[in-house]
Amino acid sequence: MKALAWISCVLLGVAMLYVATNFPDWGDPNSPASLHLSPHYIEQAIPETSVPNIVSALLADYRGYDTMFETAVVFTAAMACFFILRVLGCEVSGQQLYRHLETGILIRSARRINLPLGSSFKRVESVSQRYDFITAKVCRLMIPFLQIFGLYVIAHGHHSPGGGFQGGVILGSAWILLAISHDLQSACDRYAERKMFVFVATGVLIYAGTGVLAMLYGGNFLDYSFLGPLFGLDPVASRSFGIFVVEVGVGFTVMATMILLYNFLASAGRCDEGL
Amino acid sequence: MLLDIIATKYNYAGFIFLMCIGLWAMIGKRNLPKKILGMSIFQTAIMLFYISISVKTNATLPIIDAHGAHGHDLHVRAADYLNPLPHVLMLTAIVVSVATLGVALALVQKVYREHETLEEPEILEQLRK
């Protein structure tokens, strides 16, 4: 079986190498892919949308449908992970463990105690669960800057490399840093899972809602130039602003999906102490 | 002749090599996470292939520097900028590959919870019983 797989892969590789000899040269400016649509996009992006980053203009405006359904795919992935993995209703009962964070002393309690936020004690799942003081404090210092950088990448996606997907991933990774440096339970206390699902749905809703709004103003679906009266801008500037609104929606969905995927995969769907 | 082809189209050989590694891992490996890794390598090869199509010699990133010129006297020549279309398509593909990777890993965890193993022959053996 393995030999058969090897032989068929090599044969396929040889066949593709043979076909590749007819492909355009590396870096050829006159390759077929660069001759049909892309000159129009490059030359007309600024006059038509006033967005200097052509990739952003293409992503959210010219190919808006593509990106909208891509956001829907991300939404579906989060939902699929939830339905495959999430274990609900496994509330722990009986003896509970509490750790004093600064000294690391473990305290056993016969019943569950509800700790106020910011308490110096923390409920832990097992004796082996560690809390590293320096790592936790350094990560807490870094996370706000990561989040601001994520917001910058979303908001500045018109003028520099960036956009909703990249910024959303950075925002999500800030949360994952929190979950790694502390533990999943205390990260989940700050970002409720239910809110994350609201965010996933809100992002798709913002995207599709912008398209429907354009229809209400008399344009085609996702034709932002008709949103001028709503934003108080001329048609070209309103296309730029429409791209921004859509990117914010994408950022919501991607951030919440990253968080939920990590959440379910790291804890096998239990959302307890995690890795 | 052959040397010319190699000198101008060597990039495709790299993508085909990567793609075959991914395909072989998906067909030949018995371990489910390794199959998923193979799928990721396969997707990455296709992304690199598309990105390499967008390359033009003596061109720069598809972000227009609008600071130099003001308003309408900005003249943009298509030959000066990389083809943005493959970048957009691959941005889509990267996100979809992350989504498929997440769902695949979730399925693998579910399989492990059911069968206590990730080796395909052992899972098939358990299913036959």
Side-chain angles (χ1 to χ4, degrees):
Chain A
M1 183 62 201
K2 269 195 172 171
L4 202 67
W6 204 82
I7 291 166
S8 58
C9 283
V10 168
L11 282 179
L12 186 76
V14 170
M16 282 194 297
L17 275 177
Y18 175 69
V19 174
T21 54
N22 293 323
F23 280 7
D25 293 351
W26 165 257
D28 181 13
N30 295 317
S31 67
S34 311
L35 289 181
H36 296 289
L37 268 171
S38 78
H40 173 86
Y41 289 146
I42 293 170
E43 282 162 8
Q44 299 301 314
I46 289 263
E48 284 181 3
T49 65
S50 74
V51 173
N53 184 353
I54 308 167
V55 176
S56 276
L58 259 174
L59 182 82
D61 192 311
Y62 294 109
R63 295 186 63 87
Y65 275 95
D66 193 353
T67 314
M68 192 186 86
F69 286 109
E70 183 190 355
T71 318
V73 165
V74 172
F75 171 80
T76 316
M79 298 312 283
C81 266
F82 174 77
F83 286 119
I84 292 168
L85 274 184
R86 188 78 170 99
V87 183
L88 290 170
C90 56
E91 189 62 45
V92 262
S93 55
Q95 182 178 279
Q96 306 276 311
L97 291 169
Y98 292 89
R99 187 190 296 279
H100 187 242
L101 292 180
E102 271 152 48
T103 55
I105 296 169
L106 271 180
I107 295 170
R108 289 173 200 276
S109 160
R111 60 182 183 83
R112 184 164 184 167
I113 307 162
N114 281 324
L115 298 168
L117 198 67
S119 158
S120 57
F121 284 92
K122 204 173 80 59
R123 195 173 74 83
V124 291
E125 300 280 333
S126 59
V127 186
S128 62
Q129 191 177 341
R130 305 304 304 170
Y131 175 83
D132 192 74
F133 187 78
I134 294 173
T135 318
K137 293 297 169 195
V138 170
C139 290
R140 280 192 71 165
L141 270 178
M142 280 177 62
I143 286 164
F145 294 103
L146 279 175
Q147 285 174 326
I148 287 174
F149 180 61
L151 293 175
Y152 164 79
V153 167
I154 293 179
H156 210 255
H158 296 56
H159 298 273
S160 63
F165 290 106
Q166 296 88 328
V169 167
I170 293 171
L171 282 175
S173 67
W175 183 86
I176 292 173
L177 181 64
L178 181 73
I180 290 174
S181 63
H182 294 66
D183 62 299
L184 196 60
Q185 187 63 54
S186 55
C188 284
D189 288 346
R190 286 172 194 278
Y191 282 53
E193 190 185 347
R194 195 169 295 182
K195 269 185 209 153
M196 287 300 118
F197 276 109
V198 172
F199 274 164
V200 172
T202 311
V204 183
L205 193 70
I206 290 174
Y207 203 132
T210 316
V212 172
L213 218 58
M215 280 170 87
L216 293 181
Y217 276 89
N220 287 324
F221 188 66
L222 289 173
D223 188 348
Y224 313 126
S225 57
F226 285 84
L227 292 172
L230 181 70
F231 299 145
L233 298 166
D234 58 289
V236 172
S238 76
R239 276 180 91 163
S240 165
F241 196 73
I243 291 171
F244 171 69
V245 172
V246 158
E247 296 267 27
V248 168
V250 171
F252 270 119
T253 305
V254 171
M255 176 195 75
T257 304
M258 287 303 132
I259 291 171
L260 287 172
L261 285 184
Y262 175 79
N263 215 331
F264 297 145
L265 290 175
S267 67
R270 287 191 306 275
C271 294
D272 47 12
E273 70 185 27
L275 291 173
Chain B
M1 183 58 200
L2 187 68
L3 273 178
D4 277 355
I5 290 175
I6 291 171
T8 53
K9 301 181 205 303
Y10 60 91
N11 54 325
Y12 298 112
F15 314 139
I16 290 166
F17 182 63
L18 264 182
M19 200 172 143
C20 286
I21 291 177
L23 193 67
W24 181 73
M26 278 201 289
I27 302 171
K29 288 287 171 189
R30 304 287 174 80
N31 187 295
L32 292 179
K34 283 181 185 168
K35 277 179 189 280
I36 294 173
L37 250 164
M39 185 181 77
S40 275
I41 295 172
F42 191 94
Q43 286 168 334
T44 312
I46 290 170
M47 285 166 205
L48 286 170
F49 167 65
Y50 266 76
I51 292 299
S52 87
I53 284 178
S54 78
V55 173
K56 297 175 189 169
T57 37
N58 299 324
T60 181
L61 300 174
I63 297 174
I64 294 163
D65 185 12
H67 294 295
H70 294 288
H72 298 289
D73 56 348
L74 184 74
H75 184 63
V76 180
R77 285 196 316 128
D80 290 341
Y81 295 95
L82 299 180
N83 186 354
L85 203 51
H87 288 110
V88 175
L89 295 176
M90 286 311 105
L91 198 59
T92 312
I94 288 167
V95 174
V96 171
S97 83
V98 168
T100 51
L101 185 68
V103 175
L105 287 173
L107 282 171
V108 160
Q109 282 198 358
K110 188 81 174 171
V111 166
Y112 188 77
R113 211 185 279 164
E114 294 279 321
H115 298 283
E116 298 280 312
T117 175
L118 289 173
E119 300 293 324
E120 207 179 41
E122 293 174 27
I123 294 168
L124 289 174
E125 190 69 27
Q126 286 188 22
L127 287 176
R128 279 196 204 96
K129 276 176 194 167

